[in-house]
Amino acid sequence: MELHLIDACATLLGPQARKGGQGFLHQLDISVIRQAYRRLAVASHPDAARRPGAKPGSADGKRFIEASRAYELLMGYLLKRRGPVTPPRARPRPSPAAERPNGKKRPGPDAKAQDKKHAGEKPSSGAGSARAGSSARSPLYYHGPLPRRRLRLAEFLYYSGRVSWQSLIAAIVWQRAAKPKFGELAREMRAITGRDLTTILRAKRRSEQTGETARRLRLLNADQVARILRLQRARHKPIGRYFVEKERMPSAELARILWELFRHNARYERAG
């Protein structure tokens, strides 16, 4: 088993892990594994091949899957070494067998959750509650087939029944709030001054972007606006971080979902 662990270390941390052997395993830390996995997942995810300047064949999916498997193996080893951990339960699906002869359904987890809610207990929400099954038939969760079109990550999580509508909206709001502001980036790049930014914001029209206003006032040219927008996209937080940080979704689970999303979108990309 330790040979598999050492191979997993080499996948995430590089070939130097093989030289350390068992001593390397004993010095492993969860934070180091998480950081290494996130860095490798971003670089090897199939969507990385679509980024500007990406090298052909740099992200074929194989390396991404290997990194996810290595992460799961090492996290299982480290968590077991640290102590017992209760894994999240899968969200149960409603079964026809739960029907009574008179056509009424037997009281299930949802009825208990409603009783607790009326009793003053705050029900859990988000991705964790979906996996725990507390909202198996809640109207906040989507129940139906996946749309036959390309989806974004947050949409895929919602349409696959993993997160609620509330979590979807909260994730979008979080991402937009975390988006770096165009004017601040322009000042950081020393393309404009603080006085210029004040002038731009005062002259900004409704539904007009900050960059458009700056070009209209001739404070920035097209090339400068394009460079600032590229920097803004590069610093934009991926929406998956919301579900990991706020909804406590395991990183390994998110990696599997990203791969499912890639395969789903690939089908409709070929069809188009």
Side-chain angles (χ1 to χ4, degrees), residues 92 94 98 100 104-121 123 133-139:
R100 286 185 175 179
K104 296 182 179 180
K105 294 183 179 180
R106 297 176 182 175
D110 291 320
K112 295 179 181 179
Q114 291 293 332
D115 292 339
K116 290 180 179 179
K117 181 178 180 181
H118 292 303
E121 179 177 339
S134 61
S135 304
R137 292 184 295 276
S138 170

Side-chain angles (χ1 to χ4, degrees), residues 57-79:
S58 60
D60 59 352
K62 182 178 179 181
R63 191 181 176 199
F64 177 79
I65 295 175
E66 291 175 351
S68 299
R69 290 175 178 172
Y71 175 81
E72 291 184 55
L73 183 63
L74 290 171
M75 287 298 293
Y77 164 75
L78 292 173
L79 291 174

Side-chain angles (χ1 to χ4, degrees), residues 238-255:
I239 203 165
R241 285 183 58 182
Y242 171 84
F243 297 102
V244 173
E245 297 175 3
K246 306 296 183 180
E247 302 281 352
R248 299 181 181 180
M249 177 181 289
S251 299
E253 181 181 348
L254 178 61

Side-chain angles (χ1 to χ4, degrees), residues 17-246:
R18 302 184 189 276
K19 301 178 182 179
Q22 295 182 358
F24 191 90
L25 285 177
H26 295 319
Q27 296 177 0
L28 274 181
D29 184 74
I30 290 179
S31 61
V32 173
I33 295 300
R34 283 177 176 167
Q35 184 178 4
Y37 170 72
R38 288 171 183 170
R39 182 173 60 252
L40 187 58
V42 169
S44 62
H45 190 271
D47 285 347
R50 303 179 184 179
R51 297 171 186 162
K55 297 181 181 179
S58 60
D60 59 352
K62 182 178 179 181
R63 191 181 176 199
F64 177 79
I65 295 175
E66 291 175 351
S68 299
R69 290 175 178 172
Y71 175 81
E72 291 184 55
L73 183 63
L74 290 171
M75 287 298 293
Y77 164 75
L78 292 173
L79 291 174
K80 184 178 179 181
R81 187 178 70 180
R82 190 174 64 177
V85 176
T86 303
R89 297 178 181 177
R91 179 167 64 90
R93 297 181 180 273
S95 172
E99 297 287 342
R100 286 185 175 179
N102 58 5
K104 296 182 179 180
K105 294 183 179 180
R106 297 176 182 175
D110 291 320
K112 295 179 181 179
Q114 291 293 332
D115 292 339
K116 290 180 179 179
K117 181 178 180 181
H118 292 303
E121 179 177 339
K122 184 178 179 181
S124 59
S125 62
S129 63
R131 291 189 298 273
S134 61
S135 304
R137 292 184 295 276
S138 170
L140 296 176
Y141 286 82
Y142 176 80
H143 303 284
L146 287 172
R148 303 172 69 87
R149 60 178 175 83
R150 291 175 58 81
L151 298 172
R152 297 183 178 182
L153 174 60
E155 293 176 316
F156 186 79
L157 287 169
Y158 171 70
Y159 284 119
S160 61
R162 289 181 169 96
V163 302
S164 67
W165 176 253
Q166 288 179 333
S167 293
L168 172 64
I169 299 302
I172 295 173
V173 171
W174 172 87
Q175 188 184 47
R176 289 181 178 177
K179 183 179 180 180
K181 297 184 182 300
F182 181 95
E184 294 175 357
L185 293 177
R187 287 192 60 189
E188 179 181 328
M189 296 176 66
R190 297 183 180 179
I192 60 174
T193 64
R195 181 176 298 179
D196 292 337
L197 179 58
T198 302
T199 302
I200 292 169
L201 295 178
R202 287 178 177 175
K204 187 176 179 182
R205 298 169 181 169
R206 183 178 299 180
S207 74
E208 189 177 46
Q209 300 294 329
T210 307
E212 295 172 347
T213 307
R215 287 193 62 187
R216 177 167 56 83
L217 298 177
R218 297 184 178 180
L219 293 173
L220 291 174
N221 57 40
D223 291 337
Q224 289 174 314
V225 171
R227 284 198 299 269
I228 296 169
L229 289 175
R230 283 196 297 269
L231 178 61
Q232 188 180 50
R233 286 193 294 269
R235 294 189 182 179
H236 200 43
K237 290 185 178 180
I239 203 165
R241 285 183 58 182
Y242 171 84
F243 297 102
V244 173
E245 297 175 3
K246 306 296 183 180

